[in-house]
Amino acid sequence: MLDDVRRVLSSVVSIPVTPFDGLGRIDEPAYAAVVSRMVAAGITAVTPNGNTGEFYSLSTAELNRVVALALESAGEARVIAGVGHDTGSAVRLATEAAKLGAHAVMVHQPVHPYQSEEGWVDYHRAVAEAVPGLGVVCYLRSPLITPGTVRALVDACPNVVGVKYALPDPVRFAEMTVEVPEVTWVCGLAESWAPFYWMGGARGFTSGLVAIVPELSLELHGLLQAGDTGGAMRLWQRLKPIEDLRARRGNANNVSVLKEALAQLGLCRRDVRPPISVLPDGERDEVTAVLRSLRLPVGAA
């Protein structure tokens, strides 16, 4: 099981959105359609309840339901359930994910104004020890965490098999991969940064964009694997406009752009939950233009 999780982390790790219906509830058929479409295209790793899935806007019951929906829709793909909040909640979510049949958990960076390196290790260790049969992936977003911190966790918990590195610092990332080579290192900053982290040791990257154009995300990964730097950078240039739009206003558009694109493709509603907001009309038009540039069939939404 753990080697299998390591294998799929060396790929495009999808972070699907969580669609909502007109009453604000999880749109289960739409969620299934979004996940099934990615898996049909060749995606082998699905991460329900990531940030792109609006993890912090979902109730505990909804978080567990999304994991179940992902497992029902993912076919042969491996499901890596997002868990987090306080330590007890993270442990309970991980334990429930294990009961539901998830293959691994991805532990969100602890949200706390005061945290130490030792506390970071203790937080992740509590989750890892609660689900010894599951692979555990750390979501590293804090510059406080050093290679030695990750080393301490990996030495204590053999089921910690991967790190999703989401800091825009490829030099520090390369230092991390050299110091802790046992885990699979994943570029957590998606297609925009994937080519630059590849040289530092990332063999996979996370993606929300994959819900829109799974074939292109997989193509980028294939070009990087083949060592075709020129081809990878040409594709990177094609994908950059929509990723730039998602990053606008300090990433406020991250989820809204994806849901707008999926709405225009007829796959789900554009609705999001506060503190996220839907795109204004002008940016909706920008999404339309990008989709047309990617030769996607834009419909009325």
Side-chain angles (χ1 to χ4, degrees):
M1 172 78 83
L2 298 185
D3 286 342
D4 200 34
V5 175
R6 290 186 179 95
R7 176 183 60 81
V8 299
L9 289 173
S10 296
S11 67
V12 180
V13 181
S14 66
I15 318 291
V17 300
T18 303
F20 302 121
D21 64 20
L23 297 176
R25 302 168 303 195
I26 294 172
D27 187 335
E28 297 191 2
Y31 188 91
V34 168
V35 171
S36 297
R37 180 173 178 264
M38 293 188 296
V39 172
I43 290 299
T44 57
V46 177
T47 304
N49 298 333
N51 282 336
T52 302
E54 298 182 66
F55 174 79
Y56 292 101
S57 298
L58 302 179
S59 69
T60 298
E62 288 174 325
L63 292 168
N64 291 330
R65 181 58 185 152
V66 168
V67 173
L69 289 169
L71 286 160
E72 292 169 9
S73 310
E76 296 300 313
R78 298 299 178 259
V79 172
I80 305 168
V83 304
H85 297 304
D86 63 279
T87 307
S89 294
V91 166
R92 287 189 291 274
L93 287 168
T95 302
E96 183 62 23
K99 290 178 182 177
L100 289 168
H103 306 92
V105 295
M106 185 274 294
V107 186
H108 283 274
Q109 176 73 29
V111 179
H112 198 290
Y114 313 114
Q115 52 184 298
S116 66
E117 293 176 77
E118 296 83 0
W120 185 90
V121 171
D122 290 342
Y123 180 86
H124 289 82
R125 184 171 183 167
V127 175
E129 290 180 346
V131 287
L134 295 192
V136 174
V137 181
C138 304
Y139 187 1
L140 206 167
R141 295 172 62 91
S142 170
L144 172 72
I145 306 306
T146 65
T149 315
V150 179
R151 159 64 57 208
L153 177 63
V154 171
D155 286 347
C157 302
N159 58 328
V160 174
V161 297
V163 178
K164 174 184 173 180
Y165 190 90
L167 289 161
D169 189 344
V171 175
R172 181 66 173 276
F173 174 75
E175 294 171 349
M176 289 275 194
T177 66
V178 169
E179 290 292 328
V180 194
E182 305 96 307
V183 300
T184 301
W185 289 88
V186 180
C187 170
L189 295 172
E191 287 82 356
S192 291
W193 288 83
F196 312 104
Y197 278 73
W198 189 268
M199 290 296 294
R203 289 299 171 263
F205 58 87
T206 59
S207 175
L209 181 63
V210 69
I212 302 170
V213 281
E215 297 83 3
L216 293 184
S217 297
L218 288 164
E219 182 182 348
L220 178 61
H221 187 262
L223 290 167
L224 292 171
Q225 279 187 314
D228 186 350
T229 304
M233 292 308 295
R234 285 190 292 274
L235 181 52
W236 175 83
Q237 287 180 308
R238 287 186 64 199
L239 298 176
K240 191 171 184 294
I242 196 162
E243 290 297 279
D244 286 348
L245 181 54
R246 291 178 68 199
R248 198 172 289 174
R249 295 193 295 275
N251 284 311
N253 284 3
N254 189 297
V255 179
S256 304
V257 165
L258 294 179
K259 284 195 168 177
E260 176 62 34
L262 290 168
Q264 293 190 25
L265 294 173
L267 292 168
C268 75
R269 296 173 62 92
R270 61 175 54 89
D271 305 58
V272 291
R273 287 181 178 173
I276 304 174
S277 56
V278 297
L279 296 181
D281 290 343
E283 289 183 326
R284 290 184 190 178
D285 292 341
E286 290 184 63
V287 172
T288 303
V290 170
L291 293 178
R292 286 176 175 158
S293 77
L294 296 175
R295 299 174 184 165
L296 291 170
V298 182

